[in-house]
Amino acid sequence: GAFPGGLPGGMNGMSFEDGSDREVAAPAEFKAKEADYRERVKGAKLSDGAMDAFMVDSSDEGVSSDGSLDLAKMPKMERRKAKHKYKNDLYYGGRLNIVGRQEQLGLSQTNPAYQYPKTGEKPVLLINGFGICDEEDGSNFTTRAFLSDSPQLWKKWGLRCLNFKSGESQKVIENINTSILSGKHSAVVLGDMSEPDALRKFAEHCGTAMQKFVETHGGSLACVTSEGGLAVKEFLHPVFNSTSKEQIAWKCDSYYRATHAAVQLNRENVCRIFPGCEDMKFSVKCSMLSEVPPKERYFATSQECKMFRYLADDYDENRDIDEHRAMCAVAVKQFCRAERDDIVWNTGHGGKVAYFCDVNGQEEIAKLVVRFLETEAVETMGVGFKLGE
């Protein structure tokens, strides 16, 4: 939208992506930079409208997009990203350059998904496009973290990526719903779930298919996010608590850094879903879940909120009582197997919904996401399981 009184810095004569010209002043040096930019990107000078039209078409955006990730689109994505970076640097002095900030932190890199085959032993379906740090192809530091872990497994499994693109294309929505219910994928990953409007649209347009995938077909869903409150409030509760017999009780409660450990009261299930991680501990900053039933707690903390813990960690294992580990960075809910004769396909086991939260794309959470996908066919201990036995 327009800035009251024009853009800062007195820039005039610049064309914006909505095709309008704003009555603000622009020094000749900015016009020269823009002309040079257009030369470098396209190889020829274009009118403002033609340049915008070219970039939109070449980046596979808008109503024509099918949301798919294709290696042939990669140069177009890079051109689109370069355009955004240029305009951000030009108009705002780089203040909104989230991608640049990620690069400073060492978080930004090429999307690993381009290197993995779309088919394999058990292709995983990754759906993104509802995160505030998403790049042009829908990837972000959250998804790149777990896609960079265990590349040999991703190459063996296969990976299909679909970009929801904030729900702006009906073709994208149809493609995602068809893929979820196709029977080709027994595991779906959503990440990063941090843009509220896009997430509401995803729940509205794709929530029914996602619920059916888990509860009817026995699929495993991994919600990997940097913002837990939105993931729970805008997606998990509306999708799974409106008509499901088995409710998700989780509430997003707090946001701070703490040391999380495998919940020993639920050790048997930790061993089943995250083998080799039953004694794992790690410090992570995240949105934590409360009101998680004991058998759905996997990695949790007993520490209370404290600022600047990353500078001076006060974790004391002697005060870390397992029974007090109630605030969860990782939780998993097991659904019962569907017993119906009209089911077209089924995985043969009950579905699961898992929650992973981390604001920094840490290695530990990335490894746990991969472990969950590795054991997606394993069911947790069922109804009647007594903790501690």
Side-chain angles (χ1 to χ4, degrees), residues 252-280:
C252 187
D253 193 286
S254 300
Y255 170 71
Y256 56 90
R257 175 171 291 278
T259 295
H260 289 252
V263 177
Q264 298 305 300
L265 287 173
N266 198 23
R267 186 180 178 88
E268 177 62 29
N269 281 332
V270 175
C271 291
R272 295 169 72 87
I273 306 302
F274 303 102
C277 302
E278 52 269 18
D279 296 309
M280 184 177 178

Side-chain angles (χ1 to χ4, degrees), residues 59 64 79 110-111 129 212 215 220 249 260 276-277 285 353 373:
S59 64
S64 64
R79 287 197 294 269
T110 302
N111 185 359
K212 189 174 182 181
E215 297 189 28
S220 292
H260 289 252
C277 302
K285 187 175 184 179
V353 173
L373 297 173

Side-chain angles (χ1 to χ4, degrees), residues 10-57:
M11 306 172 193
N12 185 28
M14 304 298 292
S15 177
F16 289 70
E17 292 189 61
D18 60 5
S20 65
D21 291 316
R22 313 278 166 81
E23 294 299 324
V24 288
E29 61 182 285
F30 286 108
K31 293 184 179 181
K33 286 183 178 179
E34 184 179 38
D36 176 67
Y37 170 75
R38 293 178 186 281
E39 286 280 359
R40 287 185 289 107
V41 172
K42 187 64 172 68
K45 291 184 179 180
L46 297 173
S47 67
D48 293 324
M51 184 64 179
D52 287 339
F54 166 74
M55 294 310 301
V56 169
D57 177 70

Side-chain angles (χ1 to χ4, degrees), residues 96-107:
L96 302 182
N97 189 5
I98 296 175
V99 173
R101 178 58 178 157
Q102 291 180 37
E103 290 174 347
Q104 291 177 17
L105 296 172
L107 298 175

Side-chain angles (χ1 to χ4, degrees), residues 94-232:
R95 292 191 299 275
L96 302 182
N97 189 5
I98 296 175
V99 173
R101 178 58 178 157
Q102 291 180 37
E103 290 174 347
Q104 291 177 17
L105 296 172
L107 298 175
S108 185
Q109 57 185 19
T110 302
N111 185 359
Y114 290 110
Q115 309 303 320
Y116 302 143
K118 293 182 180 180
T119 59
E121 292 184 3
K122 56 170 191 178
V124 176
L125 177 61
L126 170 61
I127 305 173
N128 47 30
F130 25 72
I132 59 173
C133 291
D134 287 353
E135 296 192 22
E136 295 306 316
D137 59 4
S139 68
N140 50 68
F141 69 90
T142 301
T143 61
R144 288 194 297 272
F146 62 77
L147 290 178
S148 298
D149 187 86
S150 304
Q152 72 282 0
L153 289 178
W154 290 107
K155 291 177 181 178
K156 182 172 70 172
W157 295 341
L159 173 70
R160 183 162 185 221
C161 298
L162 290 176
N163 186 356
F164 185 63
K165 291 180 173 286
S166 299
E168 61 189 27
S169 168
Q170 183 60 36
K171 188 183 293 186
V172 168
I173 294 171
E174 292 173 358
N175 199 8
I176 288 176
N177 283 330
T178 299
S179 300
I180 291 172
L181 299 177
S182 65
K184 297 179 181 179
H185 310 282
S186 56
V188 174
V189 183
L190 305 181
D192 168 39
M193 307 168 73
S194 57
E195 208 293 307
D197 290 338
L199 203 52
R200 291 187 200 105
K201 289 180 183 178
F202 183 70
E204 177 185 355
H205 295 294
C206 304
T208 300
M210 203 75 263
Q211 180 195 24
K212 189 174 182 181
F213 171 79
V214 173
E215 297 189 28
T216 302
H217 299 295
S220 292
L221 171 63
C223 298
V224 188
T225 184
S226 63
E227 215 299 322
L230 294 176
V232 173

Side-chain angles (χ1 to χ4, degrees), residues 2 15 19 25 69 73 93 116 122 162 166 190 192 211-212 225 234 249 283 297 308 337 340 351 354 365 370 375 385:
S15 177
L69 184 71
K73 297 178 182 179
Y116 302 143
K122 56 170 191 178
L162 290 176
S166 299
L190 305 181
D192 168 39
Q211 180 195 24
K212 189 174 182 181
T225 184
E234 304 295 349
S283 174
R297 300 176 193 169
F308 308 117
R337 299 182 192 181
R340 286 169 47 186
I365 293 293
V370 174
T375 62
F385 168 57

Side-chain angles (χ1 to χ4, degrees), residues 85-97:
K85 185 179 187 302
Y86 167 78
K87 285 198 169 183
N88 173 57
D89 290 344
L90 190 64
Y91 300 149
Y92 311 111
R95 292 191 299 275
L96 302 182
N97 189 5

